[in-house]
Amino acid sequence: MSKPITDLIHHPYTPPAGFSAPQPGVFKASTVIFPNVAAMRARDWKQKVGYTYGLHGTPTTFTLEERIASLEGGKHCILVPSGLAAIANVAMALLKSGDEVLIPDNAYGPNKALADGELKNWGITHQIYDAMNPADLQARIGPKTKLVWLEAPGSVSMEFVPLPQIAAICRERGVTTALDSTWSAGIAFNGFDAGADIVVHALTKYPSGGGDVLMGAIVTRDDKLHLALKLTHMRVGWGIGVNDAEAILRSLPSLELRYRAHDMAARELAAWLQGRPEVSRLLHPAFEGSPGHQHWQALCGGNGGSGPGAGGAAAGLFSVVFDERFGTGQVDTFCDALKLFKLGYSWGGPVSLVVPYDIASMRSARLGPCPYKGVLVRFSVGLEAVEDLRADLEHALSALG
Ligand SMILES: *Cc1c(COP(=O)(O)O)cnc(C)c1O
């Protein structure tokens, strides 16, 4: 007879098979238990035919990987602890000392910071290219170029790049492309159809939808590329929490509904702000006059119109450039006066957010003067009633005097 504590840990009861519910089960493990030594020796964590160790996956994380791969139209998916970790994993897997990576000027900022920090320390160089000028990219691709980052639209300034054209240039030159497709969320357009080899997605944003989970995904169609990414993933030990995976699995069924609701509300507010005298420029790819609007139309199915009725799909994000007569202090006052729009980074959750940016300081001087004069404010529209959000904006604008 074993002692009660041992029985508690090695209890003979197993629940009956065949349980079925709307959400998949949650399986948590660092240790995975093998039935015998032969099974332990025969373990193969790469093929996902069994389980080896928590870092290499559980039924819950495999389930989320498969759903994200389907969402993005890919074959393989690797989960990492954040969107930024996904970017870092791609760089670490594909670049070695002496290689070069090309990053668009309007890329997600920390991607450039990684290139300027760790990658530089490891003897990997980078160049910033003008995302809206394929000829600039073409001229920068050289024998050392091993990876080109793509992003559409650009972070903060929202220019929509001619993605298929840029991807085709890279393909022709034999350079691997990685697309940060967080904005599209697998809904507005398909990254692989646009020509990318790797699609990276910050699940932190729309797939989570709660503003409470950090996670990233790296999706591929190519087996060899996936294996290279997976080996790096295994060696650096990125683990994700299974409860976080569960939270995202629970949010995924409403992803498209939420995405379209964010989109509709954002276009209504953007159209309204565009008509305000305090605003000199609206940056939203679904609006005519926004940089790359025609590329958004071509890729995301806009029906030729502009703004709220333009068809196609877009995220709930846009930026406005304030009229030059309003300095940083006044725009800060506007942001502080907002009550429903909160000050905070990230996006994709129910709460509307706002961030003021000094856009000129974020641009590479080499590419010429920043085209945006005036302070830029980026809005992430949440799921509150649009009328209330508009009233909030109107009230805060009145604080500008
Ligand atoms: C938020 C974001 C990331 C990073 O995601 P985290 O999970 O916050 O690390 C990467 N790329 C884009 C475009 C993002 O908006």
Side-chain angles (χ1 to χ4, degrees):
M1 276 298 274
S2 35
K3 302 275 188 214
I5 182 62
T6 305
D7 281 346
L8 280 181
I9 297 170
H10 296 268
H11 201 281
Y13 177 79
T14 50
F19 178 79
S20 183
Q23 294 304 323
V26 178
F27 296 88
K28 303 178 71 167
S30 49
T31 297
V32 167
I33 295 171
F34 297 92
N36 52 50
V37 175
M40 191 175 219
R41 294 217 170 105
R43 73 193 186 280
D44 178 6
W45 58 268
K46 290 193 215 89
Q47 300 303 325
K48 286 167 78 166
V49 290
Y51 306 99
T52 307
Y53 188 59
L55 271 180
H56 304 150
T58 70
T60 308
T61 61
F62 282 4
T63 301
L64 181 56
E65 284 171 5
E66 292 303 311
R67 290 187 189 186
I68 299 298
S70 300
L71 171 69
E72 299 288 1
K75 185 173 171 195
H76 306 284
C77 170
I78 298 167
L79 298 173
V80 288
S82 69
L84 184 53
I87 290 169
N89 194 102
V90 169
M92 289 168 78
L94 302 189
L95 302 169
K96 60 181 189 322
S97 178
D99 289 345
E100 184 158 271
V101 54
L102 303 185
I103 305 174
D105 195 28
N106 55 5
Y108 177 66
N111 189 343
K112 295 194 269 187
L114 174 71
D116 216 22
E118 276 64 22
L119 297 191
K120 196 195 246 170
N121 292 342
W122 297 338
I124 298 159
T125 55
H126 71 278
Q127 288 191 61
I128 302 296
Y129 70 92
D130 181 349
M132 297 301 280
N133 180 4
D136 184 65
L137 169 69
Q138 180 130 30
R140 286 174 200 290
I141 295 178
K144 288 169 38 174
T145 314
K146 293 290 146 54
L147 174 66
V148 173
W149 276 102
L150 314 169
E151 201 172 323
S155 275
V156 180
S157 47
M158 309 298 295
E159 302 93 347
F160 210 98
V161 308
L163 207 49
Q165 199 187 337
I166 293 181
I169 290 170
C170 298
R171 179 143 308 187
E172 216 166 85
R173 304 285 294 269
V175 180
T176 303
T177 51
L179 167 72
D180 185 334
S181 206
T182 303
W183 177 92
S184 166
I187 291 176
F189 68 89
N190 180 283
F192 294 105
D193 293 350
D197 297 311
I198 300 169
V199 171
V200 162
H201 190 164
L203 306 180
T204 304
K205 308 289 168 56
Y206 290 117
S208 155
D212 56 351
V213 175
L214 288 157
M215 203 179 293
I218 308 160
V219 184
T220 45
R221 282 181 174 173
D222 182 83
D223 296 338
K224 258 180 69 188
L225 206 44
H226 168 69
L227 182 61
L229 293 158
K230 185 80 191 156
L231 287 168
T232 295
H233 179 261
M234 182 269 279
R235 289 188 292 252
V236 298
W238 305 118
I240 59 148
V242 168
N243 290 115
D244 289 342
E246 179 204 13
I248 292 179
L249 280 166
R250 202 165 186 275
S251 293
L252 280 183
S254 64
L255 171 67
E256 183 161 357
L257 270 176
R258 288 185 283 107
Y259 193 87
R260 294 193 189 281
H262 287 289
D263 178 11
M264 243 167 31
R267 286 199 223 185
E268 265 189 71
L269 294 173
W272 181 80
L273 273 168
Q274 191 176 29
R276 291 287 307 203
E278 297 88 347
V279 168
S280 70
R281 182 122 201 231
L282 168 67
L283 300 166
H284 185 311
F287 283 75
E288 235 157 68
S290 193
H293 171 61
Q294 71 278 20
H295 304 311
W296 170 81
Q297 280 183 320
L299 202 58
C300 304
N303 64 10
S306 184
L317 282 182
F318 63 87
S319 294
V320 302
V321 181
F322 275 81
D323 190 276
E324 279 180 74
R325 74 195 134 105
F326 301 110
T328 306
Q330 280 165 297
V331 176
D332 288 356
T333 302
F334 161 78
C335 293
D336 283 336
L338 289 163
K339 298 215 160 51
L340 295 177
F341 281 91
K342 302 295 184 189
L343 285 161
Y345 293 108
S346 202
W347 37 272
V351 176
S352 290
L353 298 171
V354 71
V355 184
Y357 287 96
D358 174 14
I359 185 71
S361 72
M362 295 160 68
R363 291 311 174 101
S364 162
R366 185 188 52 69
L367 297 175
C370 176
Y372 312 116
K373 311 277 172 243
V375 182
L376 181 149
V377 175
R378 205 264 315 270
F379 295 87
S380 161
V381 178
L383 296 171
E384 303 93 337
V386 180
E387 307 86 276
D388 294 334
L389 293 175
R390 188 167 42 230
D392 194 29
L393 292 170
E394 194 159 21
H395 171 260
L397 283 173
S398 69
L400 280 174

